[in-house]
Amino acid sequence: MRQKKLAKLMKKDDAKAFKIIFDTFYKRLYTFSFNYVSESYAAEEVIENVFFKLWKERHKLDRVENLKSYLYTMTRNASLDYIKKEKQFVRLDPEKHGSSTLMNQYIITEETHAILFQALETLPKKCRKVFELSCIEGVKYKDIAEDLQISINTVKSQRARAIELLKKHLKNHPLFQVILASL
Amino acid sequence: MNDSSSAYQIAQLIYKSIAKIITPEEKETLDHWLSHEDNRALYNKIIGQGNIQDKISIYEQIDTQRIYENLEKRIKNNNRRVKRSQIFRYAATVAILLGIGYLYQSGYFSQEPVLVAPNENITLQLENGTIKTLKEDGSSEVVDSQGNVIGHQKNAQITYTDEVNKETLVYNTLMVPYGKRFEVQLSDGTHVHLNAGTSLKYPVKFIEGQNRQVFLKGEAFFDVAKDEEHPFIVNSDVLNVQVLGTQFNVSSYPEDQETDVVLVEGSVDLYTNEDVDNSLLLKPGFKGSYNKKEKSMASAPVITRIYTSWIQGELVFRNMTFNNILKKMERHYNIDIVNNNTVLGNEKFNASFRNEPIEKILEYFKITYNIDYTTNNNKVIIN
């Protein structure tokens, strides 16, 4: 399902489409907002308001080309409003906070982590563990084998399997790919 | 290609390179992007030591289901409100046509219903039982029965000195009414913030070789001065909180079902008078709760900021029943709230407010959650 189609469905009051959008984007928007507001409860509040607004304005959504960019922009604005309103909590200059370069850096960070997290969720448990240790934490095969009490060969084969699965996943899941990629 | 769509592509390339599924052409694009110093720095931050693992653990802690349910509730209420307000609009038009002349004559327009919170004083009960009123915008001296100055009050704070020698424990009791907050620094340097509707009884001077024990009713945040030889004990009804030096919040209003202790720093030990040997050791970032009815203790990780935000005059409600929220508002603003809606009372809400007048908060609940209320002097009635 493409983002555009989701947006269209939501326009017709389809609560299911709304839920899919919520589940897909909540976590990354939350951590994105956290970059600005620096408080977890504030980020939670900001994102709840963003989704509430999204629901209320769903009828206007045909003018929104890219749902993801729309959500990031809404979140950024809501977060900036929040820190402006709550002056005592501003830790950085709001002007600087408002820069689009900074926003882009935050987006790249949150998107990378979100994609990676979603991908990891699709891996079998043991496979995922080996992949995390080897590809994310850079632990040596030998140490992984010792840690998990498996042979070095098993480490290598699990790692290869993880990569193979991630490749396949990318190919077989247009939803995944479309939501990840830009439109 | 606009900025953000290229951001999504870069993110995907970084992901592919981590997952080792990047194609040679994609690798070239990524390397080109990485040739900028700023981009390289960002890349290192994204994949940097522990950053991904940290993010994963944040992700795993987020309870999207709970948050979604909250949102759904808001959406449903909002829909209902739209329908109702349409009916009201017609009704209102008719009422205006019929009644405007009458209302005008009866002086209705000059009468704005305003909440008036009674202004009560913060008091200090001295060792001989006399009660002294403290003015929050004034200063005064606290004197013992021999006439020695043992402490100074300035604005909303009292500081006790360490200079006067005492052989026996002599107590003062601070009482903070609803609608007020106060601070006290004890003779050992321990700093205590007292929330509305709270009383704290403490020795004007702690005695060498004895535990530092104080008695709390209500809510307070303690920043306890380190003194490993003299454990600091907060007693609240049957529950005792024992520490050496640390920061924690205790909420123990007699009318609440639970006494909550939230630890910000250090470590504390919780035990009841009834079962001194069975204690619960709290770690920082955890809340220990004692259930008065069931006489049971439990602990859970929490966002400590939520529990200490009252010190700055904020009201933060997270997943809290409406009745509990009302109770906190009554204390904070010193007003009476009567809730006639029992179903609503048990529903849970999220909201936070910073030094806002009560009218604004009530208005927020009205608009966001469709909660109707009327006001009368210092009383709010929810229908």
Side-chain angles (χ1 to χ4, degrees):
Chain A
M1 215 180 313
R2 300 177 68 87
Q3 281 184 54
K4 276 181 184 165
K5 207 172 156 197
L6 276 179
K8 235 182 228 164
L9 268 179
M10 202 172 62
K11 235 185 98 181
K12 289 191 235 150
D13 290 29
D14 190 326
K16 235 182 240 159
F18 182 67
K19 177 82 163 57
I20 292 173
I21 293 168
F22 180 89
D23 286 341
T24 308
F25 292 109
Y26 183 85
K27 291 181 178 183
R28 70 183 79 176
L29 290 174
Y30 168 85
T31 48
F32 175 73
S33 172
F34 190 87
N35 290 319
Y36 292 99
V37 298
S38 309
E39 292 293 348
S40 43
Y41 73 81
E44 226 181 73
E45 196 162 289
V46 164
I47 306 307
E48 194 187 292
N49 288 335
V50 164
F51 276 104
F52 186 60
K53 204 169 157 201
L54 178 72
W55 176 258
K56 279 202 302 194
E57 295 185 348
R58 64 195 179 281
H59 304 291
K60 300 177 198 156
L61 274 180
D62 47 350
R63 270 181 283 131
V64 180
E65 293 295 345
N66 183 340
L67 178 63
K68 184 154 71 182
S69 294
Y70 177 71
L71 284 171
Y72 271 120
T73 308
M74 275 221 288
T75 303
R76 199 264 313 248
N77 294 344
S79 304
L80 289 177
D81 280 352
Y82 187 92
I83 53 176
K84 254 181 240 158
K85 213 170 76 191
E86 319 300 340
K87 276 204 181 92
Q88 52 176 323
F89 290 99
V90 180
R91 290 188 183 144
L92 288 168
D93 181 5
E95 292 295 315
K96 198 174 124 212
H97 251 114
S99 95
S100 63
T101 316
L102 190 70
M103 178 180 177
N104 257 333
Q105 289 181 348
Y106 288 156
I107 290 180
I108 293 173
T109 308
E110 300 316 328
E111 281 294 302
T112 308
H113 289 158
I115 298 166
L116 184 62
F117 182 76
Q118 283 181 340
L120 288 175
E121 293 274 274
T122 68
L123 294 178
K125 220 172 163 189
K126 203 164 155 196
C127 210
R128 173 176 172 168
K129 189 77 208 159
V130 171
F131 178 85
E132 282 187 27
L133 289 170
S134 172
C135 298
I136 297 175
E137 294 180 44
V139 182
K140 289 192 189 111
Y141 292 164
K142 195 180 99 269
D143 297 334
I144 298 175
E146 227 168 74
D147 264 18
L148 303 180
Q149 301 201 317
I150 49 176
S151 73
I152 293 188
N153 274 336
T154 312
V155 174
K156 284 184 189 164
S157 68
Q158 288 288 341
R159 182 181 186 271
R161 190 168 161 237
I163 292 171
E164 203 46 48
L165 286 170
L166 292 179
K167 236 185 239 169
K168 241 194 220 154
H169 187 256
L170 201 59
K171 221 182 272 167
N172 296 344
H173 289 77
L175 166 69
F176 181 65
Q177 195 171 15
V178 166
I179 286 175
L180 309 183
S182 57
L183 283 173
Chain B
M1 200 191 296
N2 65 33
D3 265 11
S4 57
S5 72
S6 81
Y8 304 144
Q9 270 181 354
I10 294 298
Q12 201 182 22
L13 293 180
I14 298 173
Y15 158 69
K16 283 181 174 172
S17 92
I18 296 168
K20 315 277 186 262
I21 55 174
I22 193 164
T23 66
E25 301 90 70
E26 288 171 336
K27 178 92 171 50
E28 216 173 284
T29 314
L30 182 62
D31 284 341
H32 177 71
W33 183 78
L34 284 173
S35 62
H36 275 269
E37 205 179 300
D38 290 354
N39 294 343
R40 171 64 69 175
L42 177 63
Y43 175 82
N44 288 337
K45 217 167 113 192
I46 291 171
I47 65 157
Q49 200 59 49
N51 285 348
I52 294 176
Q53 297 300 350
D54 286 353
K55 194 62 70 68
I56 289 174
S57 72
I58 292 173
Y59 267 40
E60 281 171 346
Q61 278 168 26
I62 299 175
D63 184 355
T64 37
Q65 194 52 38
R66 176 180 64 76
I67 294 159
Y68 189 75
E69 280 164 15
N70 233 315
L71 180 65
E72 247 185 338
K73 209 184 289 167
R74 237 176 107 176
I75 287 172
K76 270 186 204 139
N77 284 328
N78 186 61
N79 288 348
R80 222 175 31 230
R81 189 166 65 92
V82 170
K83 277 176 203 146
R84 210 187 273 181
S85 67
Q86 273 163 357
I87 299 166
F88 272 7
R89 199 174 301 147
Y90 294 120
T93 315
V94 177
I96 285 168
L97 289 173
L98 292 176
I100 202 158
Y102 168 73
L103 288 174
Y104 205 73
Q105 279 169 358
S106 63
Y108 178 87
F109 290 104
S110 60
Q111 285 175 5
E112 285 252 325
V114 179
L115 279 166
V116 188
N119 188 17
E120 286 166 51
N121 290 317
I122 294 163
T123 60
L124 181 67
Q125 183 169 19
L126 303 173
E127 52 180 296
N128 60 10
T130 53
I131 291 178
K132 179 179 153 83
T133 301
L134 303 175
K135 288 211 173 77
E136 295 151 273
D137 51 359
S139 60
S140 64
E141 283 178 342
V142 185
V143 194
D144 68 6
S145 50
Q146 282 89 47
N148 301 314
V149 176
I150 50 171
H152 300 273
Q153 177 235 338
K154 191 163 185 244
N155 300 336
Q157 181 168 4
I158 289 186
T159 307
Y160 283 84
T161 71
D162 196 24
E163 287 152 22
V164 185
N165 273 325
K166 292 261 180 253
E167 308 272 281
T168 53
L169 287 171
V170 173
Y171 290 94
N172 278 3
T173 304
L174 250 176
M175 274 168 283
V176 183
Y178 279 7
K180 298 270 169 79
R181 295 191 305 276
F182 204 76
E183 283 173 51
V184 56
Q185 188 176 317
L186 305 176
S187 66
D188 64 337
T190 291
H191 205 94
V192 191
H193 291 261
L194 305 177
N195 205 351
T198 298
S199 73
L200 182 73
K201 181 178 164 193
Y202 48 87
V204 298
K205 169 90 199 255
F206 291 110
I207 290 180
E208 186 65 31
Q210 287 190 25
N211 286 345
R212 297 175 285 167
Q213 186 164 25
V214 300
F215 303 87
L216 173 75
K217 206 180 273 173
E219 181 166 29
F221 179 82
F222 292 86
D223 188 351
V224 175
K226 263 211 172 66
D227 179 354
E228 311 233 328
E229 279 160 29
H230 301 96
F232 193 97
I233 300 169
V234 180
N235 170 278
S236 191
D237 197 16
V238 296
L239 189 73
N240 297 293
V241 185
Q242 180 166 340
V243 306
L244 296 172
T246 175
Q247 293 181 5
F248 61 99
N249 193 73
V250 181
S251 174
S252 178
Y253 288 99
E255 66 272 27
D256 287 351
Q257 178 118 338
E258 286 193 338
T259 296
D260 287 339
V261 180
V262 172
L263 184 60
V264 177
E265 220 182 83
S267 73
V268 306
D269 217 8
L270 309 183
Y271 58 91
T272 58
N273 287 342
E274 292 143 2
D275 194 356
V276 178
D277 298 326
N278 212 345
S279 71
L280 176 72
L281 189 70
L282 271 193
K283 281 186 285 184
F286 276 74
K287 178 181 82 164
S289 303
Y290 173 71
N291 190 309
K292 294 174 195 166
K293 216 191 217 162
E294 290 163 11
K295 304 194 172 182
S296 60
M297 276 201 265
S299 74
V302 292
I303 300 163
T304 56
R305 270 279 297 136
I306 292 177
Y307 294 87
T308 58
S309 54
W310 62 266
I311 298 167
Q312 282 88 37
E314 299 168 30
L315 283 170
V316 182
F317 310 123
R318 278 295 166 278
N319 216 20
M320 191 181 279
T321 63
F322 193 61
N323 279 341
N324 267 340
I325 290 175
L326 296 181
K327 193 72 226 162
K328 295 213 172 220
M329 282 169 55
E330 284 188 327
R331 289 173 193 146
H332 192 88
Y333 293 103
N334 194 19
I335 43 150
D336 287 330
I337 305 179
V338 180
N339 179 20
N340 293 324
N341 188 334
T342 42
V343 181
L344 183 68
N346 294 315
E347 276 194 59
K348 290 181 174 173
F349 294 91
N350 280 350
S352 47
F353 305 99
R354 303 227 152 89
N355 299 310
E356 316 248 24
I358 178 130
E359 289 85 358
K360 244 182 128 177
I361 297 186
L362 292 169
E363 206 51 33
Y364 167 85
F365 276 110
K366 187 173 180 178
I367 291 167
T368 317
Y369 294 113
N370 187 31
I371 291 165
D372 269 336
Y373 68 92
T374 51
T375 59
N376 176 12
N377 273 328
N378 71 331
K379 205 168 187 171
V380 176
I381 299 149
I382 290 161
N383 306 307

